[in-house]
Amino acid sequence: MAELVGNVLVGQSGGPTSVINASVAGIVAEALNHPCIEEIYGGLNGVLGILQEELIDLASESQQQIRALRHTPGAALGTCRYKLKKQQDFERILDVFKAHNIRYFFYIGVPKTIDNDLSVTDHCPGYGSVIKYLATSVREAACDNEAMGQGDLVSIIEAMGRSAGWIAAGAALAKRRDHPYDPPHIILLPEIPFNQEKILEDIRRVLKREKYCLIVVAEGLVDADGNYLAADAATDAFGHAKLGGAGDALGEIVEANIPGVKVRVARPGLLQRAAAHSAAKTDSDEAFLAGQAAVRAAIAGETDKMITLVRGDTEHYTCETGLAPLTEIANGVKKLPREWINEDNVSMNFQFLRYAQPLIQGEITLPYDTGVPVYARLDKAQVDKVLPPYEL
Amino acid sequence: MAELVGNVLVGQSGGPTSVINASVAGIVAEALNHPCIEEIYGGLNGVLGILQEELIDLASESQQQIRALRHTPGAALGTCRYKLKKQQDFERILDVFKAHNIRYFFYIGVPKTIDNDLSVTDHCPGYGSVIKYLATSVREAACDNEAMGQGDLVSIIEAMGRSAGWIAAGAALAKRRDHPYDPPHIILLPEIPFNQEKILEDIRRVLKREKYCLIVVAEGLVDADGNYLAADAATDAFGHAKLGGAGDALGEIVEANIPGVKVRVARPGLLQRAAAHSAAKTDSDEAFLAGQAAVRAAIAGETDKMITLVRGDTEHYTCETGLAPLTEIANGVKKLPREWINEDNVSMNFQFLRYAQPLIQGEITLPYDTGVPVYARLDKAQVDKVLPPYEL
């Protein structure tokens, strides 16, 4: 099949990660290699901006800024949670594509999610960095807790994770090999309904053995009836419940039931997914590769596919990119395998560790200026609009 | 005066910082240089352990572990918030000193505090690292917020700081020079009583100009009557109110008063003071120097003094150690100067920036193993007890 000659459009969608911009950098870097690609445009704020014909010229950005995207958190093009619904929306998108000769469209909502819950792909870009940050924070909090505790300190760190425990589970990487008593002492996953009496017993047992009990709790922890431990009545645009507060809720339960105990709750919130200063090099590199692979696949005529990460079948970790039909991905969810959780329900076994450990390897050396990391700032030169305005 | 010949005892007290262990490393390193020092002991859990004659042999720790202390957060010897009260307590301490021929005693509660509120010293070891972490987090959260906001996002980061705004103020270092509109857009300090209507107006103004409004709020924020914005009835051993929740309280106020706005609150809590992976090299080096200087001063016969940090009177930042009488330090508090806060009450001026910027310079390259930082783990070889047990 002959290569399509024309322009590229890239957009970003959904929640940012530490490495979603690395995929944009991969797309731009690869696109420059292909003569069939003329202009490289970015759509501002995902489909929201594309509907409004808000395009920027990515090819006119400096090499320096595109390179800086490889270590910049957030979503440099802006993102949205807008859901295309109306028939007119779809037609408008095609009109924008036609008006700007867009032959290749990459929408980076897929594959990237700190939640790591996409099917088919071995793991998702963004996941490795968030659990590296969390495992590092657990190790550091443990140094602090160890100094402060006298068998009376319960330290709670709330991890992101609405419906799956992938992120909270990743905190297990803070343990040294063959040191099962290392913190985190207790991991509370949405997959395991909260059993108050059992968990209080677990905490008391840890406090008998250690100076402190460090707990990592997923924000989406639910009770036996499926109710969130701490839910807010509000819901977001997709009808998902807005969460937050599982750590505080657990803290209150502990204080009310274990006399004399001190409770400390940390809720890093979105600092977790933005902590590029603690990103995993493996993760960032794979996100970049995914962007490059997407361009090559599109030019080869592939469409309606997602780039997947495929783990090599070798002892030493290797990872290549693959392709899977979007229809296969769209509504599937990859659950944290039950058999990767120990029988105690609050710790992860070697199968999980073998899976997750390679994903957090390597550190990134950031550029610093006057003591703080320097992140990319795009010029965002606007592409001239040629269509009439569009009513959302 | 002839040098005293005998043993050193070092203990740690109060809340840990990222660099309090660097001071222990400085003491051990310097003590090894002086033949008048025979044994180097550590007291476990501050005066609590010393009262109970719980001493460990620091000289028998490996060089590797002592070196690792320079980048290890927490307080490796353990700490306490125990207040010596009874006459017997003081006598017991002296008995322990006599029994183990302790001629030099260093208690690292002073100088170190992330709160930066000690008088006489220019700044306190630990402060530079906590504000470097906070400024980095603000810059990263800003990347995330910028992507997600549509003029409707209020992002709140709660900073430590019970009674002074030194830490929250440090978030101002996230701004680039000559970019007053950079985040953090609003800093709420305990020094400025919370004025709800004025702050809501400030937030509305920022949201008209920017896609999001990033606020850093000190945990100790108070209203015009001096009441904490969010106080917990409980108090700690010193009678201080236990805080936490100023961010959530502010978030609720914003949601209730600005329709359609989304609020996100991050409360990194003690992760701030434990984030050695984001420590400032300047801070860590100064903490080490303070430890060394303490040993030299003690051998020279100085007593009842604190090591201070003295800023050079030059254009380029320099810092030397000095000495000040403990009596002068003990009950003084260094307030954040009112004239370093801009007239808008929610941002810091160049005088603050000139003060704080040198303190966060430099990064530390940590050793990593399987993707997470490796911190010191002391052997803690116990020194034989020779005294009868002591009732606390």
Side-chain angles (χ1 to χ4, degrees), chain A residues 2 5 23 25 62 67 86 91 104 144 156 172 192 210 219 236 247 263 276 288 296 307-308 310 318 328 340 345-346:
Chain A
V5 176
S23 293
S62 72
R67 189 181 297 174
K86 300 179 294 185
E91 284 163 13
Y104 303 101
D144 195 292
I156 298 169
I192 310 286
E210 315 279 342
E219 60 180 344
D236 69 13
V263 173
F288 185 82
R296 284 195 299 266
I307 299 296
T308 59
V310 183
T318 57
E328 203 177 307
W340 290 5
N345 278 346
V346 295

Side-chain angles (χ1 to χ4, degrees), chain A residues 86-102:
Chain A
K86 300 179 294 185
Q87 182 61 25
Q88 296 101 297
D89 280 354
F90 291 100
E91 284 163 13
R92 169 69 176 189
I93 296 271
L94 292 177
D95 288 344
V96 172
F97 286 3
K98 280 179 204 151
H100 293 278
N101 195 29
I102 305 299

Side-chain angles (χ1 to χ4, degrees), chain A residues 2-22:
Chain A
E3 291 171 352
L4 290 169
V5 176
N7 302 332
V8 156
L9 177 63
V10 50
Q12 295 174 311
S13 176
T17 80
S18 288
V19 303
I20 171 171
N21 288 320

Side-chain angles (χ1 to χ4, degrees), chain A residues 133-216:
Chain A
Y133 171 83
L134 190 59
T136 297
S137 295
V138 165
R139 227 175 232 199
E140 293 178 338
C143 289
D144 195 292
N145 296 158
E146 170 90 26
M148 298 291 283
Q150 302 288 346
D152 58 354
L153 174 60
V154 174
S155 178
I156 298 169
I157 300 178
E158 186 178 301
M160 286 181 132
R162 188 192 297 274
S163 55
W166 284 107
I167 297 175
L173 297 172
K175 287 179 197 269
R176 290 167 297 169
R177 180 192 282 264
D178 302 324
H179 284 75
Y181 286 173
D182 270 3
H185 305 110
I186 293 173
I187 299 175
L188 298 177
L189 305 164
E191 287 80 358
I192 310 286
F194 181 66
N195 176 337
Q196 179 167 323
E197 286 316 310
K198 190 264 187 191
I199 298 302
L200 288 170
E201 208 37 64
D202 287 344
I203 294 171
R204 289 191 193 98
R205 194 179 319 115
V206 172
L207 287 179
K208 269 184 201 149
R209 194 183 69 219
E210 315 279 342
K211 298 169 81 178
Y212 65 102
C213 176
L214 195 158
I215 303 172
V216 172

Side-chain angles (χ1 to χ4, degrees), chain A residues 1 8 24 58 76 83 115 135 157 169 177 214 221 237 253 286 293 305 312 315 320 325 328 337:
Chain A
M1 196 179 86
V8 156
V24 174
L58 281 174
K83 218 167 178 168
D115 292 332
I157 300 178
R177 180 192 282 264
L214 195 158
L221 187 64
I253 290 170
E286 289 175 355
K305 298 241 167 52
E315 185 64 24
E320 291 181 350
E328 203 177 307

Side-chain angles (χ1 to χ4, degrees), chain A residues 45 73 75 79 132 139-140 143-144 147 176 211 248 255 267 273-277 363 368 370-371 373 375 377, chain B residues 45 73 75 79 132 139-140 143-144 147 176 211 242 248 267 273-277 361 363 368 371 373 375 377:
Chain A
N45 306 318
T79 174
K132 184 186 185 88
R139 227 175 232 199
E140 293 178 338
C143 289
D144 195 292
R176 290 167 297 169
K211 298 169 81 178
D248 286 327
E255 276 185 333
R267 196 174 78 217
R273 71 180 186 199
H277 74 277
E363 291 75 51
Y368 277 76
T370 61
Y375 294 122
R377 291 174 192 274
Chain B
N45 306 319
T79 173
K132 185 186 183 86
R139 225 175 233 200
E140 293 178 338
C143 290
D144 196 291
R176 291 168 296 168
K211 299 168 82 178
K242 262 177 62 185
D248 285 328
R267 197 174 77 216
R273 70 180 187 201
H277 74 278
Q361 300 309 305
E363 291 74 51
Y368 276 76
Y375 294 121
R377 290 173 192 277

Side-chain angles (χ1 to χ4, degrees), chain B residues 109-123:
Chain B
V110 177
K112 70 84 209 143
T113 166
I114 56 168
D115 292 332
N116 202 44
D117 58 357
L118 295 181
S119 58
V120 188
T121 186
D122 177 78
H123 56 282

